[in-house]
Amino acid sequence: MNGEYVVNQVQKLWKEKKYKVIVLGIVAVLMLTTFVKLGHGNILELRNTTGCNYWLVLYIIIGIFLFGGFGFYICKLSKRTIEKIYLRIAILFGILFMTILPPYSMADEMCHIDTTYYYSSMLLGQQAVNDDGEVLYRENDLVYDNDNHLPSTRSLELVITHFFERDHSSTYVSVGRKPLNILPISYLPQIIGVTLARIFHMGNIMMLFMGRVFGMAFAIACFYFAIKLTPVGKDVIALSGLLPMTLELTTSYSYDSTTIALSVLYLGVLLHLIFEVPKITWKHWIQVSIIIACLTPAKVVYMCLAMTLLCIPKEKFSRRADKYLGTGGVLVLGAIIILLTRLAHMKSIASGGGLATYGYETYNLAFFEQHPVELVKIIYHTIETQTATWIMGMLGQSLGWMDILVPVHLMIGFIILCVLASIRTENEAYVLNHGQRLWSTLVVLGISGLVCMALLFDITPVGQYYVWGVQGRYFLPMLPLVMILFKNQQIVKKTNMVKYLMAGAYVLDYFVIMYVLGVVTGR
């Protein structure tokens, strides 16, 4: 009887969902093939070369998590709300990203670790720097320190062999690097993690991971509440949080982790105010002011996101002037923070301080006053030659020290998901009107222009025909807003594709993890 019931259920499933079963089967075969190929190649070779079984154990554990997670998604998770789906997938892939790309694996992460450690020492009341201004570490914290720590088998070996070590050292030594001139608020989650690890005498590796875990937890919490708050674009925010570049940054010590998280949280609050809050009160202004104040110190250009507060309908204010006074107050607060913390740096950039810093002359305001046509040429050539690179970089084609180049077809897969998420679903009740869409577009273009202008003045040599140093990740804080701008009343999806978008992101992130693991274990 039981056997007959099972057969009937299988036949019913095949008859009702034949095409879904076929697609799922193809995906499962591709995932399994990729996994077996990596294991039969790099992992077994490492095991035979080193004589250690931990490579095989690590590989099997990753496989169990990935396949188990995918099975759990198909059977249970896809029926949950989108914020809960995002939460579980983000935690899984966040842990995996920080495992296969351990500390110091990301470009310039050592500078962010130094700054975090510096503030941690100040919080603990200990000497933070030596007489030359260089950060002081516990002596045993140099176990893993390296100026150019490319993710490799050596990285993972150090993590595995030293992970559970304790530290009771009383000697402090310099790493030969100075902390960045960034306010501690930009590293607050990581500072808390590192400080707790030092209080409980955790060793170097565990301490580094504690900072990363707290940073990841803060970022995921911001995405979670943004998804929960916003009445429109939940799928957009969730998908942007599962992009490879987002996962890498939010599990690192970079202040981009906090910047991206806060910008997404701000967007969730903004859309909540625009569509769902009947009246704007002083409590709402305090909320957005705190977010913008915390967002501003690391990347001052993102303060301009506060200008989107003008998209809130005037009917939600007691007086029409309150809308402009409140927005102006938030911007003034951000400007005060900039004046107190970053004014000298911004003056240096505007004057073109590259000759002293880099050994060559960079563009400055005076140059373009005399050659305005050159600015137009640079803008045109920058857009023409760099746009595709920025888009791919924003999604996560270049990971680690920008030396792990993820295959283009995986990036195209993420682009397709982003396009699908940008189309309004029939049951989405809200979209931005034409005025709100136009103003938000101008804000996004303005911020993008300021990002490019900062690097044009800071590091681009005179005579160069495009802006140097602009990376796709600089546009990640604006990506969810840009995708929401495409949602309109004319183009509509009949089917709610949230569970398919999340499943697609899961599968693509799986292949990214497998590819990165293959590169790292091949070194």
Side-chain angles (χ1 to χ4, degrees):
M1 189 68 178
N2 289 336
E4 185 179 343
Y5 173 78
V6 171
V7 170
N8 289 335
Q9 289 298 108
V10 170
Q11 289 176 342
K12 182 181 178 183
L13 178 65
W14 177 256
K15 194 174 292 185
E16 294 177 354
K17 301 181 179 180
K18 177 169 58 177
Y19 296 108
K20 292 181 181 179
V21 171
I22 292 173
V23 171
L24 184 60
I26 293 172
V27 170
V29 169
L30 289 173
M31 292 173 67
L32 185 60
T33 302
T34 305
F35 184 75
V36 172
K37 183 179 178 182
L38 176 63
H40 188 264
N42 292 22
I43 303 301
L44 287 181
E45 184 178 338
L46 273 173
R47 182 194 179 195
N48 295 334
T49 303
T50 61
C52 298
N53 286 321
Y54 57 65
W55 292 111
L56 185 59
V57 172
L58 176 65
Y59 170 73
I60 291 172
I61 290 174
I62 290 176
I64 290 172
F65 271 101
L66 286 171
F67 284 106
F70 189 64
F72 180 71
Y73 178 85
I74 298 300
C75 297
K76 297 286 185 182
L77 193 56
S78 60
K79 299 178 179 65
R80 297 179 183 267
T81 58
I82 186 169
E83 62 267 21
K84 292 182 179 179
I85 295 174
Y86 161 78
L87 180 66
R88 287 158 176 79
I89 296 177
I91 291 173
L92 170 61
F93 281 101
I95 292 171
L96 292 176
F97 263 87
M98 77 167 68
T99 299
I100 65 174
L101 292 173
Y104 296 97
S105 291
M106 181 184 161
D108 300 328
E109 190 173 12
M110 66 277 189
C111 301
H112 301 295
I113 292 174
D114 294 341
T115 309
T116 299
Y117 202 98
Y118 163 77
Y119 284 121
S120 173
S121 294
M122 293 182 66
L123 188 62
L124 291 170
Q126 299 174 353
Q127 184 178 352
V129 294
N130 62 13
D131 294 337
D132 296 322
E134 297 168 347
V135 179
L136 293 174
Y137 279 79
R138 298 178 302 184
E139 186 176 14
N140 292 340
D141 285 333
L142 299 186
V143 167
Y144 193 70
D145 182 75
N146 191 305
D147 283 347
N148 189 23
H149 213 304
L150 291 175
S152 62
T153 52
R154 178 179 174 273
S155 305
L156 295 179
E157 284 175 2
L158 283 172
V159 168
I160 293 169
T161 54
H162 295 280
F163 188 84
F164 293 104
E165 288 183 354
R166 309 286 292 173
D167 186 287
H168 295 278
S169 60
S170 56
T171 305
Y172 283 76
V173 295
S174 168
V175 293
R177 298 186 298 265
K178 297 180 181 180
L180 299 175
N181 185 26
I182 303 292
L183 288 182
I185 191 69
S186 301
Y187 298 100
L188 186 57
Q190 292 90 337
I191 291 170
I192 294 172
V194 168
T195 303
L196 287 174
R198 293 172 66 182
I199 290 173
F200 291 102
H201 301 288
M202 295 180 185
N204 177 222
I205 304 298
M206 197 179 295
M207 178 200 72
L208 290 171
F209 274 93
M210 276 284 285
R212 278 186 157 203
V213 166
F214 272 70
M216 181 188 79
F218 175 77
I220 290 177
C222 286
F223 272 89
Y224 176 85
F225 286 111
I227 297 168
K228 195 167 185 176
L229 274 173
T230 182
V232 57
K234 292 178 181 290
D235 50 352
V236 162
I237 295 176
L239 181 59
S240 64
L242 296 176
L243 296 174
M245 181 55 71
T246 307
L247 289 168
E248 183 191 55
L249 289 171
T250 54
T251 56
S252 74
Y253 276 81
S254 173
Y255 50 56
D256 285 328
S257 171
T258 308
T259 300
I260 293 168
L262 289 173
S263 63
V264 168
L265 181 60
Y266 167 78
L267 178 61
V269 172
L270 173 69
L271 294 171
H272 178 65
L273 297 179
I274 290 174
F275 294 114
E276 292 190 327
V277 173
K279 284 292 180 182
I280 305 300
T281 67
W282 61 271
K283 293 181 181 179
H284 299 121
W285 288 120
I286 289 176
Q287 289 174 3
V288 294
S289 296
I290 291 173
I291 297 173
I292 293 297
C294 295
L295 181 62
T296 297
K299 296 285 181 70
V300 298
V301 296
Y302 299 128
M303 179 193 75
C304 297
L305 284 172
M307 297 179 72
T308 53
L309 289 168
L310 295 175
C311 292
I312 301 175
K314 62 180 182 297
E315 295 79 13
K316 293 178 180 283
F317 299 90
S318 300
R319 300 177 304 163
R320 185 169 184 173
D322 290 347
K323 175 179 179 176
Y324 301 99
L325 290 173
T327 303
V330 175
L331 289 169
V332 167
L333 176 62
I336 291 172
I337 294 172
I338 292 171
L339 290 173
L340 293 175
T341 61
R342 306 301 298 276
L343 183 60
H345 179 65
M346 292 176 68
K347 282 183 176 179
S348 174
I349 290 175
S351 62
L355 187 61
T357 307
Y358 307 109
Y360 57 80
E361 183 183 358
T362 58
Y363 287 107
N364 54 48
L365 288 173
F367 178 89
F368 291 115
E369 287 175 359
Q370 299 175 13
H371 308 88
V373 177
E374 292 299 312
L375 178 60
V376 177
K377 290 180 180 179
I378 290 172
I379 292 172
Y380 173 78
H381 286 297
T382 298
I383 294 173
E384 180 188 34
T385 61
Q386 301 300 304
T387 301
T389 303
W390 292 344
I391 292 173
M392 291 300 188
M394 178 174 60
L395 298 175
Q397 186 179 29
S398 302
L399 300 176
W401 280 80
M402 300 179 69
D403 62 318
I404 301 177
L405 299 179
V406 177
V408 174
H409 64 269
L410 295 180
M411 295 299 101
I412 292 174
F414 280 109
I415 290 174
I416 293 172
L417 292 183
C418 288
V419 171
L420 292 173
S422 301
I423 301 173
R424 186 176 74 88
T425 305
E426 200 170 37
N427 62 357
E428 281 188 295
Y430 306 108
V431 293
L432 296 173
N433 62 38
H434 295 304
Q436 293 167 331
R437 193 176 291 117
L438 175 61
W439 179 246
S440 298
T441 301
L442 292 174
V443 172
V444 169
L445 291 175
I447 294 173
S448 302
L450 290 173
V451 169
C452 293
M453 186 180 293
L455 289 163
L456 175 65
F457 292 158
D458 191 24
I459 67 172
T460 306
V462 173
Q464 183 61 43
Y465 70 96
Y466 69 90
V467 181
W468 278 14
V470 179
Q471 298 179 32
R473 61 190 172 100
Y474 300 156
F475 303 103
L476 264 177
M478 298 175 288
L479 177 62
L481 175 58
V482 171
M483 292 166 67
I484 287 172
L485 293 179
F486 283 98
K487 290 181 179 285
N488 56 71
Q489 300 284 6
Q490 287 71 43
I491 305 175
V492 182
K493 293 179 298 200
K494 293 292 184 180
T495 304
N496 190 333
M497 298 184 67
V498 165
K499 62 181 181 181
Y500 302 115
L501 292 172
M502 295 296 99
Y506 190 108
V507 172
L508 289 173
D509 279 327
Y510 166 87
F511 286 119
V512 171
I513 287 286
M514 288 294 107
Y515 179 81
V516 174
L517 186 59
V519 172
V520 172
T521 55
R523 290 172 171 171

